[in-house]
Amino acid sequence: MGRVTARKPVLRIRDGQCTTRPDTLTVEEPMELRVGGRPLTVTMRTPGHDFDLAAGFLVGEGVVRRAEEIAGIRYCAGATGGGTSRSSGAESGGGGNTYNIVDVVLAPGVAAPDASLERNFYTTSSCGLCGKASLDAVRTQTTWPVADDPLRIGPDTLATLPEQLRAAQRVFDRTGGLHAAALFTSGGELICLREDVGRHNAVDKAIGHALRGGLLPLRDTVLMVSGRASFELVQKAVMAGIPMLAAVSAPSSLAVDLADDAGLTLVGFLRGTSMNVYTHPERLAPLPVAP
């Protein structure tokens, strides 16, 4: 796993007994994202699938919409980004690179990010970047409206997704400190899963994987996340054309407002056969018959 995990000594106290032993921790490091050599933002993330993270972030901000709009992605070595670089084909999915600067080269004719998106500060892994200040801004930026998406999924199938997500989390078993985001078909088949110390990063990595594979818009799919459903996660789903977001924990009020406005089905507290459907329940079919 390379730098995805690290071993640190820990004093363990159990039943009045003290022992010293190494513990496996999730790595958290900064990644600077540049577009055409120009710094755009710095985010705290778990190394690995960094090119997916960069691509997914740009989808969420409305900068790119298709794989061909990205001419290349590379790592840049050194504090200034000069010197050695690696092309997009050199990324290790397990996070084996040693660089923390990623430069995205846009295809000719693709507009560079608006200067207002530039971040002169870093964002923590617990709070993602949201370049949209209002529901109206998200609506005007959306390329693929999700309101008319034909997705239908039964509650029984939806109930299987959290266990599938948990079973596919390789690093969580070793550290207990990672969020996960996974894309599923309407039949409950896993398309892609990504892990990260930040839930927004995990979503960006999953969406970025889909972009680079030519899968956008992600119609007839479900995005499943291991934590809560925030406004920014709904925003990212809508920007990628995903019609349903399901979370094991609670949504925020603004997340519900945006999901309702955009036509996205938002499901929270998805645990076993229990779930709360906050918006557009018509996509869950057939529904159980009320007693």
Side-chain angles (χ1 to χ4, degrees):
M1 283 297 175
R3 292 184 298 119
V4 175
T5 62
R7 300 280 281 176
K8 299 290 184 180
V10 60
L11 176 65
R12 170 176 272 181
I13 302 175
R14 295 289 187 276
D15 300 321
Q17 301 295 317
C18 295
T19 58
T20 301
R21 52 171 291 176
D23 193 19
T24 301
L25 303 177
T26 300
V27 169
E28 182 178 25
E29 292 182 355
M31 187 190 86
E32 179 179 316
L33 173 59
R34 298 179 180 180
V35 176
R38 183 176 182 177
L40 180 65
T41 188
V42 177
T43 185
M44 300 301 295
R45 98 304 188 196
T46 300
H49 300 291
D50 290 334
F51 296 169
D52 287 347
L53 173 57
F57 176 81
L58 293 179
V59 170
E61 294 293 344
V63 177
V64 298
R65 297 166 178 83
R66 298 172 181 84
E68 56 267 26
E69 293 180 335
I70 295 179
I73 308 177
R74 64 181 182 179
Y75 287 111
C76 299
T80 63
T84 303
S85 66
R86 295 184 181 182
S87 67
S88 60
E91 183 195 25
S92 167
N97 76 84
T98 58
Y99 304 121
N100 284 326
I101 301 174
V102 173
D103 189 20
V104 177
V105 179
L106 300 177
V110 178
D114 188 273
S116 65
L117 290 182
E118 292 183 17
R119 308 297 200 276
N120 295 318
F121 55 89
Y122 76 89
T123 180
T124 68
S125 55
S126 62
C127 180
L129 293 166
C130 180
K132 312 301 183 294
S134 68
L135 303 184
D136 288 341
V138 178
R139 187 187 303 113
T140 58
Q141 289 285 337
T142 301
T143 302
W144 303 291
V146 301
D148 62 348
D149 193 287
L151 171 72
R152 293 294 183 272
I153 183 170
D156 291 346
T157 300
L158 196 61
T160 69
L161 303 192
E163 183 57 33
Q164 289 193 63
L165 179 139
R166 177 66 183 83
Q169 284 189 261
R170 295 184 298 168
V171 183
F172 182 87
D173 285 336
R174 301 172 60 194
T175 66
L178 283 176
H179 288 285
L183 294 168
F184 291 92
T185 68
S186 58
E189 297 178 356
L190 178 64
I191 300 172
C192 167
L193 180 138
R194 291 292 183 262
E195 292 179 284
D196 198 277
V197 70
R199 60 181 177 274
H200 55 94
N201 288 338
V203 170
D204 278 342
K205 288 179 178 181
I207 292 174
H209 168 82
L211 173 82
R212 296 173 68 200
L215 301 179
L216 266 60
L218 284 161
R219 296 180 65 83
D220 202 36
T221 63
V222 178
L223 174 62
M224 177 76 212
V225 296
S226 61
R228 64 184 179 87
S230 63
F231 168 85
E232 63 183 347
L233 298 194
V234 173
Q235 169 218 325
K236 292 176 185 296
V238 170
M239 293 297 288
I242 299 170
M244 180 178 290
L245 171 61
V248 299
S249 192
S252 68
S253 62
L254 192 57
V256 173
D257 289 343
L258 176 56
D260 188 45
D261 183 77
L264 177 140
T265 301
L266 181 59
V267 179
F269 294 106
L270 178 54
R271 302 169 185 177
T273 58
S274 299
M275 64 193 75
N276 291 349
V277 185
Y278 292 89
T279 60
H280 300 281
E282 63 274 9
R283 290 196 175 98
L284 272 75
L287 287 172
V289 178

